[in-house]
């Protein structure tokens, strides 16, 4: 984008000593901590996500306005912020982002304008996701993976890998699911992903929904959960 | 235990076994050989002393075949069995694993075993600094013809770095290859059992070892004539992230 400075640069990265009210600058106080939390409004099946569209920016939101009438909101990504040294000062933003599902199965994420450039990574990291692998016996028995497959160069090791290989050796149907999360603790967001995953195929939904996460400190587990 | 997913006759084949050694050069070389020669996947080896790993296919993103700790491929046209070892051996169990691997090859009537290894370049003597960095060890049953073939490639016989010039190998129980992994075990046990085992090695420094992998693959291909590499070796898709993701753009 040619600009007043003749450079192709994202505006906030230009050396600038001008008006601090320039709306192109991120203008996010460094003493503000932001957090993003994803919460599902309905029981949704992650395995059905064939296409996930992210809409960010004013023009994209305009597109979203025309698409939204063809779908329903399934999840909300709320933003909370607080002052750096004041844990009690959490405030939730009035304009969350939404994920809605169109009638043809496509998911659309409408990113709220309140998500600032400097917080983009925190936004994307807030969404834990699950990937899986299956052996040939699983596929030949007509098994269907509930999540997308693990991408190349990623591996699973330890007991889950050993069990998986043993099952493959014994021609036993096996699949492994890996939940990637930026956190080391099991919290309600991560647990909801697991509930969504397990509830689609196994009769454990009633049991799983009774887990209470009000007291987060009661569950503390490090590392990824392999299922 | 071998999963044996395809009923193929692998008897009288050359078994290529990469040793987990410095720079992982033998494994990278096997990656090149498998990705370019396109042998058939025939199964995997499960062993209690092999650290288990699984992952998506390293050569074909659309394939449903899972990568594992020890994959086995067979190139029927050349009667070559490739092992690709991705999981490490439990420390202290290399000899047991090596013995079981050799016994499996013998049970399948292997014609010969070629074990690939890399050697820490630090142990080179002055005469090793220049020229071809490939070294070999041959069993006594290999015959002088093979020695002549290797010397025509400008390969040199490996010398144990512990030996001063006036001592012979007979003063030590077993050959020593610094950074060579379990390759030396495969070589020693293979020949003790009576399965002709050739040991091919290469001096390397740890780092971006793709070029060394190409050299090793080229050398092996030059000897055994595995695949016709038209212009250059095609790297597998698993090499696309050898050093992780690119740096995040927002740091600039």
């Amino acid at each position: 984008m040619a600009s007043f400075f003749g450079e192709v640069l994202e505006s906030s990265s230009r050396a600038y000593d001008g008006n601090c009210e320039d709306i192109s600058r991120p203008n996010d106080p460094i003493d503000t901590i932001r957090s993003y939390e994803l919460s599902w409004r309905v029981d949704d099946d992650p395995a059905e996500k064939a296409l996930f569209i992210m809409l960010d920016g004013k023009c994209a939101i305009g597109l979203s306005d025309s698409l939204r009438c063809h779908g329903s909101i399934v999840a909300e990504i709320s933003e909370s912020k607080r002052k750096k040294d004041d844990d009690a000062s959490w405030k939730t933003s009035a304009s969350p982002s939404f994920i809605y599902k169109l009638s043809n199965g496509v998911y659309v994420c409408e990113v709220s304008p309140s998500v600032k450039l400097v917080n983009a990574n925190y936004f994307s990291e807030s969404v834990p996701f699950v990937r899986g692998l299956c052996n040939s016996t699983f596929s030949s028995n007509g098994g269907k993976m509930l999540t997308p497959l693990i991408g190349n160069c990623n591996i699973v090791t330890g007991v889950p890998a050993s069990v998986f290989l043993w099952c493959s050796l014994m021609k036993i149907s096996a699949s492994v699911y890996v939940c990637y999360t930026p956190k080391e603790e099991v919290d309600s967001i991560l647990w909801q992903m697991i509930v969504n995953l397990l509830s689609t195929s196994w009769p454990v939904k009633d049991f799983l929904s009774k887990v209470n996460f009000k007291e987060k400190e009661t569950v503390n587990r490090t590392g990824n959960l392999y299922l | 235990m071998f999963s044996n997913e395809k009923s193929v006759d692998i008897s009288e084949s050359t078994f290529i076994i990469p040793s987990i050694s410095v720079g992982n050069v033998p494994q990278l070389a096997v990656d090149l050989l498998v990705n370019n020669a396109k042998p058939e996947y025939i199964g995997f080896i499960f062993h209690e002393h092999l650290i288990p790993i699984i992952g998506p296919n390293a050569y074909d993103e659309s394939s449903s075949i899972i990568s594992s700790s020890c994959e086995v491929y067979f190139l029927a046209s050349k009667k070559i069995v490739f092992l690709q070892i991705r999981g490490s051996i439990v420390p202290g169990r290399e000899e047991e694993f090596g013995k079981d691997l050799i016994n499996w090859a013998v049970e399948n009537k292997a014609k010969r075993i070629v074990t690939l290894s890399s050697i820490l370049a630090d142990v080179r003597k002055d005469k090793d600094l220049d020229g071809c960095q490939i070294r070999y060890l041959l069993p006594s049953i290999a015959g002088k013809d093979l020695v002549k073939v290797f010397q025509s490639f400008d390969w040199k016989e490996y010398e144990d770095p512990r030996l001063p010039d006036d001592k012979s190998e007979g003063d030590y129980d077993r050959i020593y290859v610094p950074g060579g992994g379990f390759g030396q075990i495969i070589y020693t046990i293979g020949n003790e059992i009576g399965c002709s085992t050739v040991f091919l090695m290469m001096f390397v420094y740890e780092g971006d070892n793709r070029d060394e992998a190409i050299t090793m693959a080229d050398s092996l291909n030059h000897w055994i004539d595995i695949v016709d590499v038209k212009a250059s070796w095609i790297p597998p898709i698993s090499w696309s992230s050898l050093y992780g993701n690119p740096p995040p753009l927002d740091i600039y």
Side-chain angles (χ1 to χ4, degrees):
Chain A
M1 173 180 79
S3 70
F4 176 73
F5 296 97
E7 296 168 292
V8 182
L9 281 174
E10 201 285 317
S11 56
S12 63
S13 68
R14 296 184 203 134
Y16 188 78
D17 59 357
N19 190 347
C20 292
E21 291 176 2
D22 183 351
I23 58 172
S24 66
R25 293 182 67 81
N27 197 24
D28 199 30
I30 58 173
D31 62 346
T32 299
I33 306 287
R34 289 179 189 268
S35 169
Y36 294 92
E37 189 166 316
L38 171 70
S39 52
W40 294 92
R41 283 192 180 183
V42 296
D43 288 335
D44 201 63
D45 183 357
E48 293 177 9
K49 287 186 179 61
L51 178 65
F52 189 80
I53 302 173
M54 295 286 291
L55 298 176
D56 183 29
K58 291 176 185 174
C59 294
I61 296 299
L63 170 64
S64 179
D65 284 342
S66 59
L67 291 176
R68 205 181 304 128
C69 57
H70 299 290
S72 57
I73 293 175
V74 294
E76 183 177 306
I77 304 173
S78 55
E79 177 190 294
S80 302
K81 61 181 180 180
R82 65 169 174 85
K83 291 292 180 190
K84 193 174 178 183
D85 297 318
D86 185 358
D87 287 345
S89 65
W90 281 109
K91 289 180 186 173
T92 301
S93 166
S95 54
S97 305
F98 294 102
I99 298 176
Y100 53 94
K101 183 179 178 179
L102 302 180
S103 54
N104 61 357
V106 174
Y107 286 77
V108 181
C109 177
E110 180 187 303
V111 181
S112 167
S114 67
V115 179
K116 297 186 185 300
L117 172 68
V118 292
N119 297 313
N121 280 334
Y122 302 123
F123 180 88
S124 59
E125 285 177 358
S126 71
V127 183
F129 60 95
V130 185
R131 294 287 183 271
L133 276 177
C134 63
N135 61 12
S136 54
T137 310
F138 179 92
S139 302
S140 59
N141 286 347
K144 282 189 181 177
M145 288 300 288
L146 304 176
T147 68
L149 298 177
I150 291 175
N152 207 291
C153 308
N154 292 295
I155 59 170
V156 179
T157 187
V159 171
S162 180
V163 170
F164 183 94
L165 286 172
W166 182 256
C167 288
S168 300
L169 202 61
M170 297 295 133
K171 307 294 181 209
I172 297 171
S173 175
S175 58
V176 62
Y177 294 92
V178 181
C179 183
Y180 296 90
T181 170
K183 301 179 183 178
E184 289 190 346
E185 297 169 332
V186 177
D187 60 16
S188 56
I189 300 168
L190 179 57
W191 188 246
Q192 191 59 51
M193 292 288 293
I194 297 169
V195 169
N196 289 343
L197 182 66
L198 294 180
S199 301
T200 52
S201 292
W202 295 284
V204 295
K205 183 176 175 180
D206 291 339
F207 168 74
L208 292 173
S209 63
K210 288 181 180 137
V211 175
N212 186 348
F213 271 86
K214 284 185 180 174
E215 297 297 326
K216 198 167 85 168
E217 290 75 19
T218 60
V219 180
N220 191 358
R221 184 188 177 96
T222 58
N224 283 336
L225 280 178
Y226 299 115
L227 305 172
Chain B
M1 293 178 69
F2 178 47
S3 67
N4 199 17
E5 294 174 28
K6 304 272 183 179
S7 296
V8 291
D9 179 16
I10 59 175
S11 61
E12 297 303 314
S13 297
T14 297
F15 281 56
I16 294 177
I17 302 177
S19 172
I20 304 165
S21 42
V22 64
N24 298 110
V25 170
Q27 293 153 289
L28 294 174
V30 171
D31 260 350
L32 288 172
L33 291 166
V34 170
N35 196 53
N36 287 265
K38 308 282 186 207
E40 185 185 13
Y41 173 80
I42 60 172
F44 66 90
I45 289 175
F46 183 93
H47 194 279
E48 59 177 341
H49 299 321
L50 189 57
I51 302 288
I53 68 119
I54 55 173
N57 193 287
Y59 306 111
D60 182 359
E61 277 180 318
S62 62
S63 172
S64 59
I65 297 171
I66 303 295
S67 288
S68 59
S69 309
C70 183
E71 300 154 23
V72 184
Y73 299 87
F74 180 53
L75 188 64
S77 58
K78 307 280 182 170
K79 295 287 272 182
I80 298 174
V81 173
F82 298 91
L83 267 66
Q84 177 56 300
I85 300 180
R86 302 189 189 277
S88 54
I89 317 299
V90 174
R93 303 294 191 182
E94 294 86 355
E95 189 132 350
E96 288 175 53
F97 175 75
K99 274 184 189 165
D100 289 343
L101 200 58
I102 299 286
N103 285 332
W104 172 75
V106 170
E107 280 167 13
N108 284 279
K109 300 183 177 61
K111 177 182 170 185
R112 71 177 160 205
I113 295 172
V114 177
T115 183
L116 308 175
S117 184
S118 40
I119 322 165
L120 276 171
D122 304 349
V123 304
R124 289 180 298 178
K125 296 178 181 169
D126 289 347
K127 59 182 177 172
D128 297 321
L129 294 177
D130 295 323
C132 180
Q133 299 295 290
I134 298 285
R135 298 292 180 268
Y136 68 87
L137 280 174
L138 291 172
S140 52
I141 59 173
K144 290 181 182 175
D145 289 342
L146 197 51
V147 174
K148 284 182 185 172
V149 168
F150 284 6
Q151 287 175 348
S152 72
F153 296 157
D154 200 25
W155 298 355
K156 295 175 188 167
E157 191 174 15
Y158 176 72
E159 292 178 2
D160 193 316
R162 297 171 297 179
L163 295 175
D165 292 334
D166 59 351
K167 277 202 171 181
S168 67
E169 285 179 13
D171 294 333
Y172 293 103
D173 290 335
R174 194 172 269 187
I175 197 72
Y176 172 57
V177 180
F182 65 85
Q184 49 212 307
I185 294 173
I186 299 287
Y187 171 73
T188 307
I189 296 175
N191 290 314
E192 282 173 0
I193 290 179
C195 182
S196 174
T197 304
V198 175
F199 199 178
L200 282 186
M201 297 160 270
M202 182 175 170
F203 287 113
V204 303
Y205 281 112
E206 189 90 37
D208 183 348
N209 296 114
R210 282 175 282 192
D211 286 341
E212 283 90 345
I214 289 172
T215 302
M216 182 172 271
D218 266 336
S219 301
L220 189 60
N221 196 34
H222 190 47
W223 170 37
I224 297 182
D225 186 28
I226 299 168
V227 62
D228 180 17
V229 179
K230 303 235 174 347
S232 58
W233 295 90
I234 302 170
I237 52 171
S238 58
W239 284 25
S240 60
S241 300
L242 270 180
Y243 290 94
N245 295 323
L249 293 178
D250 53 6
I251 68 173
Y252 297 110

